[in-house]
Amino acid sequence: MIIYGVYIVSKSGGLIFNLDNNVPRIEHEKTFTYPLDLMLDYNPKKVSVAFNRKDGINVGHVLVAVNGTQVNGATLEDGRDVKEVLENAENYPLNLKFSRPKMTTNEKIFLASMFYPLFAIASQLSPEPKSSGIETLETDSFTLHCFQTLTGVKFIVISETGLSGMDILLRKIYELYSDYALKNPFYSLEMPIRCELFDNKLQALLDLVEKTGTLNLDK
Amino acid sequence: MSRQASRLDPKKVNSEFLTLTYGALVTQMLRDIENVEDVNKQLERIGYNMGMRLIEDFLARTSATRCLEMRETADRIQHAFRIYLNVQPTITNWSPASDEFSLQFETNPLTEFVELPPDLTNLRYSSIISGCIRGALEMVQLEVQCWFVQDQLKGDNVTEIRVKFIRRLEDAIPAGED
């Protein structure tokens, strides 16, 4: 069982906790000669592959290093512009490292607040009155499981598809939240959860679930 | 999980420990705030803040669903008293409109060793409980009023807490729950 991530959204729709768990880090390094046979998209924030995938370097992957030097946005760590370096034939052969883009914290907060209205719309679109919001959302590469408490806090788990018993896991996470976040006198409600005990217990729970499944979680 | 074993144990700490700690809190507050009315208010506020957090624990433990009538709410509160204070209040004195009921206690663990001195007859010693009920219910979108009508500390036979339904907080009900 693979759990990719856990998110907690407060009742006002803000992301108060997120944990990335076990996301495989895909990186590809390759030496290129002039001219570069990848079509790159130069964006002030990142340099990504726009077309011509090859050797595992897929469309959408971002450039993270040139000859071992880190890339920050559109410039190298030493200040040179990535585009100029890559377009200059004298610099070749070049060793380029690509990886799958990672979500920044800001993007996560943005997505969490986007899920909030989707959840509300789902409950209103329903042909039946008094419907719940989105409980599972399935794609070909992951499933999102959402559990909303009576007080309006949403617990979201992103996992691989085809898993059962995730509702038990979600309830377990709710128990951990009520124990280690809410009983912590220094945690204020609706604020991001920065409680080490909570982190540790949650990680232990996820490790247990990944090894042995949800059947061993006693209720 | 280490927490699991203790979950089955209905009462983890000796209740005397709770009684004494609470007593220490009240006496300290009486010393710090001389006005008894203010102490009542503060105790009720502490209870309110506790209730707002405690409700999550209650829901996580019991998997309770939303109440749609006052009688269910009364049962849940009774259940909560059993979990957290190990006492079973009786639910009585329903108002004809079913919007008001009483919780009666034969014993109140918070007041086990307490005798109120004559100058503190205005003190509502256990008002943390009424605050707690109010805070917890507010988090599940029920606004109630909650007060003591009888108190063994003041010579009554039983301790009685009255709970009165005010309204449902419709705009606070989370989407997909209403």
Side-chain angles (χ1 to χ4, degrees), chain A residues 60-130:
Chain A
H61 284 191
V62 294
L63 182 64
V64 288
V66 176
N67 282 342
T69 318
Q70 288 285 320
V71 175
N72 292 333
T75 51
L76 284 172
E77 219 172 27
D78 52 21
R80 288 179 297 164
D81 189 69
V82 174
K83 190 171 185 182
E84 279 167 27
V85 174
L86 295 187
E87 284 179 352
N88 189 343
E90 290 167 16
N91 288 330
Y92 283 79
L94 268 178
N95 183 304
L96 303 180
K97 188 158 141 192
F98 290 88
S99 99
R100 218 164 55 174
K102 261 177 78 178
M103 249 199 292
T104 65
T105 312
N106 265 342
E107 283 167 333
K108 283 179 193 156
I109 294 173
F110 178 69
L111 289 177
S113 49
M114 208 143 77
F115 182 72
Y116 183 81
L118 280 181
F119 185 95
I121 289 170
S123 76
Q124 284 178 17
L125 276 179
S126 154
E128 287 287 326
K130 310 265 178 215

Side-chain angles (χ1 to χ4, degrees), chain B residues 137-151:
Chain B
L137 290 184
E138 188 173 310
M139 289 298 274
V140 285
Q141 297 88 39
L142 283 178
E143 191 177 321
V144 296
Q145 239 171 24
C146 192
W147 69 95
F148 280 84
V149 283
Q150 290 192 74
D151 197 336

